[in-house]
Amino acid sequence: MPALANTTRAIARSWTQHSLPVARASCGTMQSRSISEVHTTSSFDSPFKGQGSSTKIPNFGAYKSNKKSEDGPKLLQYFMVGTMGALTSLGAKATVQDFLVNMSASADVLAQAKVEIDLAAIPEGKNVIIKWRGKPVFIRHRTESEIKEAEDTKWEALRDPQSDADRVKKPEWLIMLGVCTHLGCVPIGEAGDFGGWFCPCHGSHYDISGRIRKGPAPLNLEVPEYDFPEDGKVVIG
Amino acid sequence: MSSFTSFLYNSIFRRNTTMLATVFAGAFAMQLAFDTGSDRVWDSINRGRQWKDIKYKYIQKAEDDGDDDE
Amino acid sequence: MLARSVLRSARSVGATARNVASKTASRSASTTSSAAEGASWKTNALPIGATAFAAGTVAWYAYVAGRDVDAMTPAEEGLHPTQYPWEHAKWNKTFDSQAHGSLRRGFQVYREVCASCHSLSRIPYRSLVGKIMTVDEAKALAEENEYDTEPNDEGEIEKRPGKLSDYLPGPYKNDEAARAANNGALPPDLSLMVKARHGGCDYIFSLLTGYPEEPPAGAVVPEGLNFNPYFPGTGIAMARVLYDDLVEYEDETPATTSQMAKDVTEFLNWAAEPEADDRKKMGWKVLAVTSVLTALSIWVKRYKWASVKSRKLVYNPPIKSPILSKLPKPTNKS
């Protein structure tokens, strides 16, 4: 116990002596002595071993490569560093990607995101309203005269100019979201001044191609993504 | 051999920008190769266990008798 | 190895400190040496006492808190299930869709046997596709059942045939109906059963195949319950359901009791962990990449440190300086 106390006191004193300029000389000698002592007990076999405070540069010849060009070793070194960088960036990319994918729709939502409809059950000249992602979708089986009317309209002068060909994939099937572009009411079919849809909330009139013709709505009725995988079937979404 | 290594060194690693570009391009190539290779190893370890290995049995069967749903 | 090197360095630090002490502080040198020579029992009393106290504390704590305390008797715990070598549970194996163990056969057993009492409410038809059956088979299966539609224009809820996005229907309308039909015992949902029960696959297989012909002598089986040694408490409301040739496998595998139990257990494990195949594959990939990365980073560390480790800094202060000795020395009162 007294030995321990003495040792700590001595260490503390030697530390304070470091900061005093007067003690610098003795400190220097002490350091070199303790370094040499530590070196004799260390297991590390350094080229500097036993040289004390000498500034003489030891011989590193045993470690030198005997190749003439240094490109080979450099290539290896850069290859190792580069491969590590590539693998690390790969892991970082995968991590970021996983977090981003996590934000996208999950499998059960995606499974409900598509609706398959049998078109054979819809007679010509009839509207069908189905629910898709919580929103109504209008499916109109248009007659010949309606198609002609929709195509002959001078669409360049309309509020939201769009040709009928841009709004349908097959002219007899008009498929669009039944949400009024004004404030989101559901328009009534086969009504209004233009033979298409009429929104009862604020009086927007849509024509037989679902284009806005009159009233406060700014845009045509939106057309969702859809596809005809085979005849008589449509998949929305 | 040494001319090839110095060509590689001079063309890829000499400039930092080309080295960085190589590293990032290599990351994508590595991912592609690693994913393909590990999928192949995994499938060969589990040969005959996965659905894709036995799918053909049921696809053909469904064509033969359409309403068999067991 | 590590401990030894730490010990050695600690000892050398101690030696250095003692050197420093003896060289710089000549006053304390005599006491240090005398204490080191006369190492009496007083010197060691403190460390020995502290060690004894620490060991005693650990022993006391282990005695108080470390013993196994069983709330239940072994009979109430249920028999430990035998451990079986499940092929699908290996680190490098996927679930077996068909060839040997069969999710498909297991699903058939579930549909024909288990589904009359147990629901599987977390499995939608779409997840069967590409794992157990084809799209057309799953669609046909889904259309066998009716589901509620969303309210129509009049607010009425109608029935429609099932779609792939629907979940497997349960046998009862709700838990109360299930209890009423089963003497008050609720058949649990099987979606996560493998994960929910201690022993997992082994437990379910043992339970399904572990019904004895007669309860052993002395066993108390309450009215309406059945004896099963693997069930905690040994009295289980479910009777033995799997008998040889109960189902007819489409691939003509002999439908023994243990075959059906094995198939349905593997199917239930898939139902509880449908992601397990991908998880195992991803685990292997991560291990491969990180092991290569570890080796590379060790190499790069050695590469970067090579120049640092073979470096030496020498500082020789000017010792012979007449100005320093002429400075007035500070009075050292301590």
Side-chain angles (χ1 to χ4, degrees), chain C residues 267-294:
Chain C
F267 169 73
L268 289 178
N269 196 356
W270 170 80
E273 299 175 298
E275 84 295 345
D277 291 352
D278 285 339
R279 179 154 49 81
K280 286 177 193 170
K281 186 158 84 173
M282 182 50 77
W284 282 112
K285 285 163 82 166
V286 167
L287 283 182
V289 170
T290 46
S291 56
V292 172
L293 209 51
T294 309

PDB file of all heavy atoms in Angstrom, chain C residues 267-294:
ATOM      1  N   PHE C 267     -45.664 -26.705 -44.220  1.00  0.00           N
ATOM      2  CA  PHE C 267     -46.521 -25.666 -44.796  1.00  0.00           C
ATOM      3  C   PHE C 267     -46.768 -24.547 -43.782  1.00  0.00           C
ATOM      4  O   PHE C 267     -46.721 -23.372 -44.135  1.00  0.00           O
ATOM      5  CB  PHE C 267     -47.851 -26.269 -45.245  1.00  0.00           C
ATOM      6  CG  PHE C 267     -48.869 -25.234 -45.597  1.00  0.00           C
ATOM      7  CD1 PHE C 267     -48.756 -24.502 -46.759  1.00  0.00           C
ATOM      8  CD2 PHE C 267     -49.924 -24.963 -44.747  1.00  0.00           C
ATOM      9  CE1 PHE C 267     -49.676 -23.528 -47.080  1.00  0.00           C
ATOM     10  CE2 PHE C 267     -50.849 -23.987 -45.054  1.00  0.00           C
ATOM     11  CZ  PHE C 267     -50.731 -23.272 -46.221  1.00  0.00           C
ATOM     12  N   LEU C 268     -47.028 -24.924 -42.532  1.00  0.00           N
ATOM     13  CA  LEU C 268     -47.294 -23.895 -41.524  1.00  0.00           C
ATOM     14  C   LEU C 268     -46.051 -23.069 -41.244  1.00  0.00           C
ATOM     15  O   LEU C 268     -46.142 -21.874 -40.955  1.00  0.00           O
ATOM     16  CB  LEU C 268     -47.799 -24.537 -40.227  1.00  0.00           C
ATOM     17  CG  LEU C 268     -49.207 -25.101 -40.317  1.00  0.00           C
ATOM     18  CD1 LEU C 268     -49.592 -25.744 -39.013  1.00  0.00           C
ATOM     19  CD2 LEU C 268     -50.200 -24.012 -40.673  1.00  0.00           C
ATOM     20  N   ASN C 269     -44.879 -23.691 -41.355  1.00  0.00           N
ATOM     21  CA  ASN C 269     -43.657 -22.912 -41.198  1.00  0.00           C
ATOM     22  C   ASN C 269     -43.523 -21.908 -42.337  1.00  0.00           C
ATOM     23  O   ASN C 269     -43.130 -20.756 -42.129  1.00  0.00           O
ATOM     24  CB  ASN C 269     -42.448 -23.842 -41.175  1.00  0.00           C
ATOM     25  CG  ASN C 269     -41.221 -23.140 -40.645  1.00  0.00           C
ATOM     26  OD1 ASN C 269     -41.244 -21.953 -40.361  1.00  0.00           O
ATOM     27  ND2 ASN C 269     -40.142 -23.874 -40.515  1.00  0.00           N
ATOM     28  N   TRP C 270     -43.890 -22.335 -43.539  1.00  0.00           N
ATOM     29  CA  TRP C 270     -43.860 -21.374 -44.650  1.00  0.00           C
ATOM     30  C   TRP C 270     -44.857 -20.246 -44.401  1.00  0.00           C
ATOM     31  O   TRP C 270     -44.565 -19.076 -44.649  1.00  0.00           O
ATOM     32  CB  TRP C 270     -44.198 -22.088 -45.970  1.00  0.00           C
ATOM     33  CG  TRP C 270     -44.420 -21.104 -47.065  1.00  0.00           C
ATOM     34  CD1 TRP C 270     -43.464 -20.471 -47.792  1.00  0.00           C
ATOM     35  CD2 TRP C 270     -45.675 -20.591 -47.504  1.00  0.00           C
ATOM     36  NE1 TRP C 270     -44.046 -19.599 -48.659  1.00  0.00           N
ATOM     37  CE2 TRP C 270     -45.408 -19.656 -48.505  1.00  0.00           C
ATOM     38  CE3 TRP C 270     -46.992 -20.837 -47.146  1.00  0.00           C
ATOM     39  CZ2 TRP C 270     -46.409 -18.964 -49.160  1.00  0.00           C
ATOM     40  CZ3 TRP C 270     -47.989 -20.145 -47.797  1.00  0.00           C
ATOM     41  CH2 TRP C 270     -47.703 -19.220 -48.790  1.00  0.00           C
ATOM     42  N   ALA C 271     -46.052 -20.609 -43.903  1.00  0.00           N
ATOM     43  CA  ALA C 271     -47.073 -19.580 -43.656  1.00  0.00           C
ATOM     44  C   ALA C 271     -46.592 -18.573 -42.622  1.00  0.00           C
ATOM     45  O   ALA C 271     -46.882 -17.381 -42.723  1.00  0.00           O
ATOM     46  CB  ALA C 271     -48.369 -20.236 -43.179  1.00  0.00           C
ATOM     47  N   ALA C 272     -45.842 -19.062 -41.619  1.00  0.00           N
ATOM     48  CA  ALA C 272     -45.359 -18.148 -40.590  1.00  0.00           C
ATOM     49  C   ALA C 272     -44.199 -17.309 -41.091  1.00  0.00           C
ATOM     50  O   ALA C 272     -44.030 -16.165 -40.683  1.00  0.00           O
ATOM     51  CB  ALA C 272     -44.932 -18.935 -39.354  1.00  0.00           C
ATOM     52  N   GLU C 273     -43.367 -17.881 -41.965  1.00  0.00           N
ATOM     53  CA  GLU C 273     -42.181 -17.169 -42.435  1.00  0.00           C
ATOM     54  C   GLU C 273     -42.058 -17.275 -43.952  1.00  0.00           C
ATOM     55  O   GLU C 273     -41.142 -17.922 -44.444  1.00  0.00           O
ATOM     56  CB  GLU C 273     -40.918 -17.742 -41.789  1.00  0.00           C
ATOM     57  CG  GLU C 273     -40.907 -17.626 -40.291  1.00  0.00           C
ATOM     58  CD  GLU C 273     -39.698 -18.320 -39.703  1.00  0.00           C
ATOM     59  OE1 GLU C 273     -39.580 -19.543 -39.873  1.00  0.00           O
ATOM     60  OE2 GLU C 273     -38.882 -17.647 -39.086  1.00  0.00           O
ATOM     61  N   PRO C 274     -42.962 -16.661 -44.682  1.00  0.00           N
ATOM     62  CA  PRO C 274     -42.863 -16.793 -46.139  1.00  0.00           C
ATOM     63  C   PRO C 274     -41.607 -16.136 -46.701  1.00  0.00           C
ATOM     64  O   PRO C 274     -41.206 -16.423 -47.822  1.00  0.00           O
ATOM     65  CB  PRO C 274     -44.138 -16.111 -46.655  1.00  0.00           C
ATOM     66  CG  PRO C 274     -44.619 -15.278 -45.544  1.00  0.00           C
ATOM     67  CD  PRO C 274     -44.115 -15.853 -44.282  1.00  0.00           C
ATOM     68  N   GLU C 275     -40.999 -15.261 -45.904  1.00  0.00           N
ATOM     69  CA  GLU C 275     -39.823 -14.547 -46.390  1.00  0.00           C
ATOM     70  C   GLU C 275     -38.535 -15.306 -46.098  1.00  0.00           C
ATOM     71  O   GLU C 275     -37.459 -14.832 -46.426  1.00  0.00           O
ATOM     72  CB  GLU C 275     -39.781 -13.152 -45.767  1.00  0.00           C
ATOM     73  CG  GLU C 275     -39.159 -13.048 -44.378  1.00  0.00           C
ATOM     74  CD  GLU C 275     -39.908 -13.777 -43.298  1.00  0.00           C
ATOM     75  OE1 GLU C 275     -41.074 -14.142 -43.532  1.00  0.00           O
ATOM     76  OE2 GLU C 275     -39.335 -14.019 -42.235  1.00  0.00           O
ATOM     77  N   ALA C 276     -38.648 -16.489 -45.451  1.00  0.00           N
ATOM     78  CA  ALA C 276     -37.441 -17.160 -44.949  1.00  0.00           C
ATOM     79  C   ALA C 276     -36.449 -17.483 -46.059  1.00  0.00           C
ATOM     80  O   ALA C 276     -35.242 -17.358 -45.864  1.00  0.00           O
ATOM     81  CB  ALA C 276     -37.837 -18.427 -44.213  1.00  0.00           C
ATOM     82  N   ASP C 277     -36.948 -17.884 -47.230  1.00  0.00           N
ATOM     83  CA  ASP C 277     -36.030 -18.248 -48.316  1.00  0.00           C
ATOM     84  C   ASP C 277     -35.174 -17.055 -48.726  1.00  0.00           C
ATOM     85  O   ASP C 277     -33.946 -17.148 -48.817  1.00  0.00           O
ATOM     86  CB  ASP C 277     -36.817 -18.744 -49.531  1.00  0.00           C
ATOM     87  CG  ASP C 277     -37.463 -20.080 -49.260  1.00  0.00           C
ATOM     88  OD1 ASP C 277     -37.175 -20.667 -48.206  1.00  0.00           O
ATOM     89  OD2 ASP C 277     -38.247 -20.525 -50.102  1.00  0.00           O
ATOM     90  N   ASP C 278     -35.839 -15.935 -48.934  1.00  0.00           N
ATOM     91  CA  ASP C 278     -35.102 -14.731 -49.322  1.00  0.00           C
ATOM     92  C   ASP C 278     -34.171 -14.289 -48.204  1.00  0.00           C
ATOM     93  O   ASP C 278     -33.066 -13.803 -48.464  1.00  0.00           O
ATOM     94  CB  ASP C 278     -36.079 -13.604 -49.647  1.00  0.00           C
ATOM     95  CG  ASP C 278     -36.736 -13.822 -50.986  1.00  0.00           C
ATOM     96  OD1 ASP C 278     -36.158 -14.572 -51.794  1.00  0.00           O
ATOM     97  OD2 ASP C 278     -37.823 -13.264 -51.218  1.00  0.00           O
ATOM     98  N   ARG C 279     -34.655 -14.460 -46.987  1.00  0.00           N
ATOM     99  CA  ARG C 279     -33.844 -14.034 -45.846  1.00  0.00           C
ATOM    100  C   ARG C 279     -32.548 -14.836 -45.777  1.00  0.00           C
ATOM    101  O   ARG C 279     -31.468 -14.276 -45.577  1.00  0.00           O
ATOM    102  CB  ARG C 279     -34.674 -14.232 -44.584  1.00  0.00           C
ATOM    103  CG  ARG C 279     -34.013 -13.874 -43.301  1.00  0.00           C
ATOM    104  CD  ARG C 279     -35.041 -13.505 -42.243  1.00  0.00           C
ATOM    105  NE  ARG C 279     -36.116 -14.456 -42.113  1.00  0.00           N
ATOM    106  CZ  ARG C 279     -36.031 -15.585 -41.420  1.00  0.00           C
ATOM    107  NH1 ARG C 279     -34.927 -15.909 -40.824  1.00  0.00           N
ATOM    108  NH2 ARG C 279     -37.067 -16.390 -41.320  1.00  0.00           N
ATOM    109  N   LYS C 280     -32.662 -16.145 -45.963  1.00  0.00           N
ATOM    110  CA  LYS C 280     -31.456 -16.968 -45.909  1.00  0.00           C
ATOM    111  C   LYS C 280     -30.494 -16.597 -47.036  1.00  0.00           C
ATOM    112  O   LYS C 280     -29.285 -16.475 -46.820  1.00  0.00           O
ATOM    113  CB  LYS C 280     -31.835 -18.441 -46.038  1.00  0.00           C
ATOM    114  CG  LYS C 280     -32.458 -19.014 -44.792  1.00  0.00           C
ATOM    115  CD  LYS C 280     -32.866 -20.452 -45.041  1.00  0.00           C
ATOM    116  CE  LYS C 280     -33.763 -20.970 -43.949  1.00  0.00           C
ATOM    117  NZ  LYS C 280     -34.348 -22.255 -44.302  1.00  0.00           N
ATOM    118  N   LYS C 281     -31.055 -16.406 -48.226  1.00  0.00           N
ATOM    119  CA  LYS C 281     -30.179 -16.074 -49.349  1.00  0.00           C
ATOM    120  C   LYS C 281     -29.477 -14.742 -49.101  1.00  0.00           C
ATOM    121  O   LYS C 281     -28.268 -14.611 -49.308  1.00  0.00           O
ATOM    122  CB  LYS C 281     -31.008 -16.010 -50.639  1.00  0.00           C
ATOM    123  CG  LYS C 281     -30.177 -15.816 -51.866  1.00  0.00           C
ATOM    124  CD  LYS C 281     -30.898 -16.285 -53.100  1.00  0.00           C
ATOM    125  CE  LYS C 281     -31.819 -15.241 -53.630  1.00  0.00           C
ATOM    126  NZ  LYS C 281     -32.397 -15.640 -54.922  1.00  0.00           N
ATOM    127  N   MET C 282     -30.252 -13.762 -48.621  1.00  0.00           N
ATOM    128  CA  MET C 282     -29.655 -12.450 -48.359  1.00  0.00           C
ATOM    129  C   MET C 282     -28.594 -12.559 -47.271  1.00  0.00           C
ATOM    130  O   MET C 282     -27.553 -11.904 -47.340  1.00  0.00           O
ATOM    131  CB  MET C 282     -30.769 -11.472 -47.954  1.00  0.00           C
ATOM    132  CG  MET C 282     -30.307 -10.067 -47.692  1.00  0.00           C
ATOM    133  SD  MET C 282     -29.295  -9.392 -48.995  1.00  0.00           S
ATOM    134  CE  MET C 282     -30.515  -8.983 -50.212  1.00  0.00           C
ATOM    135  N   GLY C 283     -28.860 -13.410 -46.267  1.00  0.00           N
ATOM    136  CA  GLY C 283     -27.875 -13.584 -45.203  1.00  0.00           C
ATOM    137  C   GLY C 283     -26.557 -14.109 -45.731  1.00  0.00           C
ATOM    138  O   GLY C 283     -25.488 -13.591 -45.386  1.00  0.00           O
ATOM    139  N   TRP C 284     -26.628 -15.094 -46.603  1.00  0.00           N
ATOM    140  CA  TRP C 284     -25.386 -15.621 -47.187  1.00  0.00           C
ATOM    141  C   TRP C 284     -24.664 -14.562 -47.999  1.00  0.00           C
ATOM    142  O   TRP C 284     -23.434 -14.443 -47.947  1.00  0.00           O
ATOM    143  CB  TRP C 284     -25.690 -16.828 -48.064  1.00  0.00           C
ATOM    144  CG  TRP C 284     -25.917 -18.064 -47.267  1.00  0.00           C
ATOM    145  CD1 TRP C 284     -27.072 -18.749 -47.124  1.00  0.00           C
ATOM    146  CD2 TRP C 284     -24.943 -18.767 -46.476  1.00  0.00           C
ATOM    147  NE1 TRP C 284     -26.903 -19.812 -46.292  1.00  0.00           N
ATOM    148  CE2 TRP C 284     -25.618 -19.853 -45.884  1.00  0.00           C
ATOM    149  CE3 TRP C 284     -23.607 -18.567 -46.197  1.00  0.00           C
ATOM    150  CZ2 TRP C 284     -24.961 -20.741 -45.042  1.00  0.00           C
ATOM    151  CZ3 TRP C 284     -22.965 -19.450 -45.360  1.00  0.00           C
ATOM    152  CH2 TRP C 284     -23.637 -20.525 -44.799  1.00  0.00           C
ATOM    153  N   LYS C 285     -25.441 -13.776 -48.749  1.00  0.00           N
ATOM    154  CA  LYS C 285     -24.801 -12.763 -49.577  1.00  0.00           C
ATOM    155  C   LYS C 285     -24.108 -11.720 -48.700  1.00  0.00           C
ATOM    156  O   LYS C 285     -22.980 -11.294 -48.989  1.00  0.00           O
ATOM    157  CB  LYS C 285     -25.837 -12.108 -50.494  1.00  0.00           C
ATOM    158  CG  LYS C 285     -26.223 -13.006 -51.649  1.00  0.00           C
ATOM    159  CD  LYS C 285     -27.497 -12.580 -52.304  1.00  0.00           C
ATOM    160  CE  LYS C 285     -27.291 -11.470 -53.279  1.00  0.00           C
ATOM    161  NZ  LYS C 285     -28.477 -11.296 -54.146  1.00  0.00           N
ATOM    162  N   VAL C 286     -24.791 -11.319 -47.641  1.00  0.00           N
ATOM    163  CA  VAL C 286     -24.198 -10.314 -46.751  1.00  0.00           C
ATOM    164  C   VAL C 286     -22.928 -10.869 -46.102  1.00  0.00           C
ATOM    165  O   VAL C 286     -21.901 -10.179 -46.026  1.00  0.00           O
ATOM    166  CB  VAL C 286     -25.227  -9.890 -45.681  1.00  0.00           C
ATOM    167  CG1 VAL C 286     -24.551  -9.110 -44.579  1.00  0.00           C
ATOM    168  CG2 VAL C 286     -26.319  -9.061 -46.303  1.00  0.00           C
ATOM    169  N   LEU C 287     -22.981 -12.137 -45.671  1.00  0.00           N
ATOM    170  CA  LEU C 287     -21.791 -12.728 -45.053  1.00  0.00           C
ATOM    171  C   LEU C 287     -20.632 -12.755 -46.042  1.00  0.00           C
ATOM    172  O   LEU C 287     -19.495 -12.443 -45.687  1.00  0.00           O
ATOM    173  CB  LEU C 287     -22.098 -14.140 -44.574  1.00  0.00           C
ATOM    174  CG  LEU C 287     -22.890 -14.248 -43.276  1.00  0.00           C
ATOM    175  CD1 LEU C 287     -23.073 -15.699 -42.903  1.00  0.00           C
ATOM    176  CD2 LEU C 287     -22.179 -13.515 -42.164  1.00  0.00           C
ATOM    177  N   ALA C 288     -20.931 -13.122 -47.296  1.00  0.00           N
ATOM    178  CA  ALA C 288     -19.862 -13.199 -48.289  1.00  0.00           C
ATOM    179  C   ALA C 288     -19.235 -11.830 -48.507  1.00  0.00           C
ATOM    180  O   ALA C 288     -18.008 -11.673 -48.460  1.00  0.00           O
ATOM    181  CB  ALA C 288     -20.421 -13.742 -49.601  1.00  0.00           C
ATOM    182  N   VAL C 289     -20.083 -10.817 -48.719  1.00  0.00           N
ATOM    183  CA  VAL C 289     -19.542  -9.481 -49.004  1.00  0.00           C
ATOM    184  C   VAL C 289     -18.778  -8.940 -47.803  1.00  0.00           C
ATOM    185  O   VAL C 289     -17.675  -8.412 -47.935  1.00  0.00           O
ATOM    186  CB  VAL C 289     -20.679  -8.521 -49.410  1.00  0.00           C
ATOM    187  CG1 VAL C 289     -20.168  -7.103 -49.474  1.00  0.00           C
ATOM    188  CG2 VAL C 289     -21.241  -8.911 -50.742  1.00  0.00           C
ATOM    189  N   THR C 290     -19.342  -9.092 -46.616  1.00  0.00           N
ATOM    190  CA  THR C 290     -18.661  -8.503 -45.455  1.00  0.00           C
ATOM    191  C   THR C 290     -17.366  -9.233 -45.125  1.00  0.00           C
ATOM    192  O   THR C 290     -16.435  -8.610 -44.638  1.00  0.00           O
ATOM    193  CB  THR C 290     -19.569  -8.502 -44.218  1.00  0.00           C
ATOM    194  OG1 THR C 290     -20.183  -9.774 -44.103  1.00  0.00           O
ATOM    195  CG2 THR C 290     -20.599  -7.424 -44.297  1.00  0.00           C
ATOM    196  N   SER C 291     -17.269 -10.550 -45.392  1.00  0.00           N
ATOM    197  CA  SER C 291     -16.005 -11.218 -45.095  1.00  0.00           C
ATOM    198  C   SER C 291     -14.919 -10.731 -46.054  1.00  0.00           C
ATOM    199  O   SER C 291     -13.785 -10.488 -45.627  1.00  0.00           O
ATOM    200  CB  SER C 291     -16.171 -12.728 -45.175  1.00  0.00           C
ATOM    201  OG  SER C 291     -16.662 -13.091 -46.426  1.00  0.00           O
ATOM    202  N   VAL C 292     -15.278 -10.566 -47.342  1.00  0.00           N
ATOM    203  CA  VAL C 292     -14.298 -10.017 -48.280  1.00  0.00           C
ATOM    204  C   VAL C 292     -13.900  -8.607 -47.857  1.00  0.00           C
ATOM    205  O   VAL C 292     -12.722  -8.235 -47.861  1.00  0.00           O
ATOM    206  CB  VAL C 292     -14.873 -10.015 -49.710  1.00  0.00           C
ATOM    207  CG1 VAL C 292     -13.945  -9.267 -50.644  1.00  0.00           C
ATOM    208  CG2 VAL C 292     -15.062 -11.427 -50.191  1.00  0.00           C
ATOM    209  N   LEU C 293     -14.904  -7.849 -47.446  1.00  0.00           N
ATOM    210  CA  LEU C 293     -14.645  -6.465 -47.040  1.00  0.00           C
ATOM    211  C   LEU C 293     -13.751  -6.412 -45.799  1.00  0.00           C
ATOM    212  O   LEU C 293     -12.869  -5.553 -45.692  1.00  0.00           O
ATOM    213  CB  LEU C 293     -15.986  -5.781 -46.751  1.00  0.00           C
ATOM    214  CG  LEU C 293     -16.090  -4.281 -46.968  1.00  0.00           C
ATOM    215  CD1 LEU C 293     -15.578  -3.905 -48.332  1.00  0.00           C
ATOM    216  CD2 LEU C 293     -17.524  -3.852 -46.824  1.00  0.00           C
ATOM    217  N   THR C 294     -13.955  -7.337 -44.872  1.00  0.00           N
ATOM    218  CA  THR C 294     -13.112  -7.380 -43.676  1.00  0.00           C
ATOM    219  C   THR C 294     -11.663  -7.666 -44.053  1.00  0.00           C
ATOM    220  O   THR C 294     -10.744  -6.982 -43.591  1.00  0.00           O
ATOM    221  CB  THR C 294     -13.617  -8.474 -42.719  1.00  0.00           C
ATOM    222  OG1 THR C 294     -15.006  -8.291 -42.524  1.00  0.00           O
ATOM    223  CG2 THR C 294     -12.899  -8.409 -41.403  1.00  0.00           C
TER     224      THR C 294
END
